[in-house]
């Protein structure tokens, strides 16, 4: 089954205004369920733009984008938001945690308001996720008091709160020392193996990319290698 399928996808910024620029030029890409893909390429080549489209944070200017079997071109914003919430988890270079909330509260955030999560169940699930990223002892510490590596592990736990089919990780190890980067990568690999989570992992680190199933190479808004 294909989790991600792009056909002729283009993305331009400032459409119809001066300085309109197309940054993705007709992307064809397929990612199968359970694949763990590295996304590599020079700065400014379009990797974040590609992830934002696949993550339904932005829409293509042209082409077809299917996510988890759904043709997203025909979905309205409300349906996109719903699909994103149920199917997609995000981890960014910056953790984007709420630093004045505890680690476990941050992990509970995506479950708030989601159907089928009574309060106690939310807390139990969040505690299990915190445990799975090795931070049980820190679950009631404020996120702002944790180290950078610990914060990013909380961000991974939060991204997995809704058990997404697809995890989009945009340079999640970019700000971390080698040891913390390895720990975060190992976590992503672990969830990929145990839950079948499909992962797109943007990295500049060739050693980590070598440990992925394949590398999607983006250059100047085109996919050079690894499109299928
Ligand atoms: P990467 O993630 O590979 O560094 P990006 O997707 O961030 O690349 O950027 C690709 C190109 O698109 C760059 O030239 C960047 O300046 C441009 N770009 C990104 N976001 C916007 C935006 N919101 N408006 C205009 N140009 C943008
Ligand atoms: P950059 O790499 O350019 O600093 P970020 O990775 O911080 O950008 O964010 C990229 C986009 O994703 C932004 O539009 C931002 O608003 C959005 N975003 C950031 N954090 C989250 C999140 N936890 N969930 C959903 N969208 C997010």
């Amino acid at each position: 089954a294909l989790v991600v399928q792009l056909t002729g996808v283009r993305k331009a910024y400032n459409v119809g205004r001066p300085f309109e620029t197309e940054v993705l030029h007709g992307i064809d890409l397929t990612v199968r369920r359970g694949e763990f893909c590295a996304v590599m390429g020079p700065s400014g080549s379009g990797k974040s733009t590609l992830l934002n489209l696949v993550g339904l944070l932005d829409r293509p200017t042209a082409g077809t984008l299917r996510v988890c079997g759904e043709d997203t071109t025909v979905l309205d914003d409300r349906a996109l938001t719903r699909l994103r919430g149920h199917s997609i988890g995000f981890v960014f270079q910056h953790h984007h945690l709420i630093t004045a909330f505890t680690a476990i509260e941050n992990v509970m955030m995506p479950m708030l308001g989601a159907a089928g999560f009574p309060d106690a169940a939310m807390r139990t699930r969040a505690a299990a996720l915190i445990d799975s990223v090795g931070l049980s002892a820190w679950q009631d510490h404020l996120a702002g008091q944790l180290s950078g590596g610990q914060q990013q592990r909380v961000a991974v736990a939060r991204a997995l709160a809704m058990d997404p089919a697809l995890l989009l990780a945009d340079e999640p190890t970019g700000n971390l020392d080698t040891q913390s980067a390895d720990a975060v990568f190992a976590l992503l690999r672990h969830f990929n193996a145990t839950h079948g989570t499909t992962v797109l992992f943007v990295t500049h680190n060739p050693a980590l990319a070598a440990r992925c199933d394949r590398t999607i190479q983006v250059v100047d808004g085109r996919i050079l290698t690894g499109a299928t």
Side-chain angles (χ1 to χ4, degrees), residues 44-91:
S45 58
K47 304 181 297 298
S48 290
T49 300
L50 177 64
L51 251 70
N52 286 347
L53 293 180
V54 173
L56 313 178
L57 297 168
D58 204 354
R59 288 179 184 270
T61 315
T64 309
L65 167 64
R66 298 181 73 91
V67 174
C68 297
E70 298 248 29
D71 180 358
T72 65
T73 18
V74 303
L75 299 181
D76 62 17
D77 287 351
R78 207 184 144 87
L80 276 192
T81 301
R82 203 182 140 76
L83 179 60
R84 189 195 312 125
H86 282 89
S87 308
I88 306 176
F90 297 90
V91 190

Side-chain angles (χ1 to χ4, degrees), residues 90-112:
F90 297 90
V91 190
F92 297 92
Q93 184 165 5
H94 178 71
H95 55 74
H96 293 290
L97 298 177
I98 300 175
T99 51
F101 284 10
T102 64
I104 194 168
E105 286 167 349
N106 271 280
V107 176
M108 287 167 70
M109 295 283 301
M111 296 183 254
L112 295 171

Side-chain angles (χ1 to χ4, degrees), residues 104 108 111 116-127:
I104 194 168
M108 287 167 70
M111 296 183 254
F117 276 114
D119 216 57
M122 260 189 333
R123 191 163 278 278
T124 305
R125 174 160 176 76

Side-chain angles (χ1 to χ4, degrees), residues 125-170:
R125 174 160 176 76
L129 280 162
I130 290 272
D131 186 39
S132 69
V133 300
L135 293 175
S136 292
W138 284 272
Q139 72 165 40
D140 296 319
H141 283 56
L142 296 182
Q145 294 173 334
L146 302 177
S147 73
Q150 290 172 330
Q151 288 174 332
Q152 200 58 306
R153 284 190 277 155
V154 175
V156 170
R158 181 187 56 183
L160 296 165
M162 300 299 289
D163 197 13
L166 177 62
L167 183 68
L168 301 176
D170 196 348

